[in-house]
Amino acid sequence: MASMSMWTFLQAMCLVASLSMAVPENYEDEIDVGYGPNYLNEITEEDPMEGDTPTPSPEPCKGPVFTKWDKLFTMLENSQMKENMLLQYTDDIIKVELQSLRGEMLQFVAQYGGSCASAVENLVRRAGTQTEMRLQNALDRVREVSADQYARHDAALQQLLAGSVNQAARLERLENGCVKWEGGGMASQTKSIHTRHLMQEVTETEGLYGGRLEKTLATISSELQTIREQLTLYTRSTFANMLPSGCDTGLLFPTRSSTAHVEVSAKKTFQTNAVTICLWVKPTQVLNKTVLFTYSTTGNAYELQLVLNGQSVFFTVNGEAHLVEASGAVQEGQWVHICAVWSSQQGLASLWVNGQQAASSPGVAEGHELRSKGSILLGQEYGRHFRHFSKPDTFDAEQAFTGKMTGVNMWDHVLDSKEISQQARLDGSGCGIRGNVVAWGVSDIEPKGGVKLIY
C-alpha cells in the first residue's frame, strides 16, 4: 500500500513538472505583445455623464521609432566614408605623380644640365609631353571618380527625399489617429511644419555633400594648373638661356652704346637683283628704331636694312621709302627667327617669322640692283655720311641693338618657303644651313665696342 501511494505521488510530480514546462511555450506562441500606445483603450473609472464634454488626455502623443530613417542615414554615412576613401586615393595618385615628375626633372637636370643644348631641349619637350599625358590621365580619373560620386550622392538624396515624403504621410496618419483637434487647422499646420522641416534637412544635406565635392575638385584642378604653368615657365626659361638648337656660337650685345657693333666680311663680291637674309635674334629691349642688319655701299648707306620697331620688324631696300612691315613679330627676351626676302622683279618683298610668312608687299624697289663691294654691319648703321674708306668709329646709341644674335646668313637669290622653314626648326638643323654670301660660322666677323662672342 505504501509503495502504491509512493508510485502515485511520483507520477503526480512528473505530470506537474511537464505541465510547468509546456505552459510557457504555449503562452509565448499565443500571446501577441503590443508595443503601441495603449491610451486609446484606457477605461476611465467613472462613466462620463450625458452632456459632459470629454477632455483630451493631458499626456502628449509619442510617435513610434522609424527604423527606415536609421537605414537611410546609415547609407549616407557609408557614402561619405566611401567619398573620403576616393578622395584619399585621388590625393595619393597626385602625390605619386608629383614625386615621379620631380624625380624625372632632377634626373634630367643632373644628367643633361651642362650637356648639348639639343639634347636638353629634346628631353624637356619629352618630359613636358609625358607630364601633360599624366596630368590628362589624372584629370580623367578625377572626372570619372567625381561623376560616380555625384551619381551615388544623387541616388542617396533621392531616397532621402522619398523617405521624407513617406514620413510626412505617416505623420499625417499618426496625427489623425492620436490627437483629435476641434478643428482641422491645427493638424494641417503641424503636418506642414514637419514637412518643411524634413525638406529643409534634405536640402541642407545635398548642399553639404555637393559643396564639399565641388570644393575638392576645384582644389585639385587648381594644383594641376599650377604645375603645368610652372613646367611651361621652366621650359621657356631653359630655352631662353640657351642658343637655338644647332647654333654653337652667338653674339652678345650687353649694353646700348655708341660703339657696340659687329663688322661682317662677305665670302664673295656680288652684284644682284635678289637677296635673302636670315638670322636668330633675342632682343633685351626694343625702342622706336633698333638696327639688326645693314648693308651699305659708297653710294647708298641704306641698300638693305633689317630694323626692329617695338614688336614690329621692318625690311627696307634702297632706303626707308621702300619697305615691308610684319607687326607683332618680336617679344623682348624671347628668341625669334627672321628672314627677309626681296627680288627686283615686280619688287616683291616678304618677311618670314619662325618659318611662316608674316608679311608681303609688291612694288618694293622694283627694278633696283644691289651694288657690290659694300659693308655689312650687325647691330648698327653707318648713316648718311658713310664712305667706304672712312668708316665712323661711333654711332647713334639710340639705334644700337641689345641682346643676343646668331645664325646670320645671306644669299644672293630668293629662298623658297621650304628652305626658310627648315632654318627655323628647333630640332638642331637650323644653324647648319649657311648662305653663299654670308655664312654663319664660316665668314669672318669682328665684334667691337664690348660685343662678345658666346658659346
Side-chain angles (χ1 to χ4, degrees), residues 41-258:
N41 298 326
E42 291 182 355
I43 300 175
T44 57
E45 294 180 358
E46 296 179 1
D47 295 334
M49 299 298 290
E50 294 183 0
D52 294 340
T53 302
T55 58
S57 175
E59 296 182 1
C61 177
K62 297 181 179 179
V65 178
F66 302 105
T67 58
K68 188 172 183 179
W69 283 102
D70 296 336
K71 294 180 181 180
L72 288 175
F73 281 106
T74 301
M75 183 186 303
L76 288 176
E77 290 176 358
N78 294 337
S79 177
Q80 183 178 3
M81 181 176 65
K82 292 179 180 179
E83 176 190 0
N84 293 334
M85 294 173 63
L86 290 174
L87 293 176
Q88 182 63 34
Y89 174 71
T90 304
D91 291 340
D92 294 340
I93 290 177
I94 298 300
K95 290 178 181 178
V96 170
E97 295 294 340
L98 291 177
Q99 291 176 358
S100 176
L101 175 61
R102 182 174 180 273
E104 291 181 2
M105 296 304 296
L106 290 176
Q107 182 180 3
F108 163 74
V109 173
Q111 293 182 359
Y112 300 101
S115 61
C116 177
S118 177
V120 170
E121 184 180 0
N122 291 334
L123 286 176
V124 169
R125 286 202 302 269
R126 187 184 308 167
T129 303
Q130 293 178 356
T131 303
E132 289 183 356
M133 293 177 60
R134 292 179 179 178
L135 292 176
Q136 187 63 39
N137 293 334
L139 286 174
D140 293 340
R141 288 197 294 269
V142 170
R143 292 192 186 99
E144 293 175 359
V145 171
S146 63
D148 183 64
Q149 194 65 27
Y150 271 124
R152 293 184 181 181
H153 279 293
D154 185 67
L157 292 172
Q158 291 296 332
Q159 293 179 1
L160 184 60
L161 183 60
S164 67
V165 175
N166 295 333
Q167 181 68 11
R170 294 177 65 183
L171 286 173
E172 182 180 4
R173 290 195 299 268
L174 180 61
E175 291 164 356
N176 293 332
C178 68
V179 180
K180 293 182 179 179
W181 301 94
E182 291 184 356
M186 291 298 295
S188 177
Q189 184 178 2
T190 305
K191 179 186 69 175
S192 177
I193 292 174
H194 283 290
T195 302
R196 286 197 301 268
H197 179 68
L198 292 172
M199 293 298 294
Q200 184 178 2
E201 289 182 354
V202 171
T203 304
E204 291 177 355
T205 304
E206 183 178 6
L208 176 63
Y209 285 102
R212 287 184 59 189
L213 187 58
E214 290 179 359
K215 184 177 180 181
T216 303
L217 292 176
T219 302
I220 295 175
S221 178
S222 178
E223 291 178 354
L224 293 177
Q225 184 66 24
T226 301
I227 294 172
R228 179 175 293 179
E229 291 176 357
Q230 290 177 352
L231 181 61
T232 302
L233 291 175
Y234 177 80
T235 304
R236 291 179 178 176
S237 176
T238 303
F239 179 70
N241 291 329
M242 299 183 302
L243 295 174
S245 295
C247 299
D248 298 329
T249 59
L251 294 171
L252 174 62
F253 296 77
T255 59
R256 189 183 301 275
S257 68
S258 60

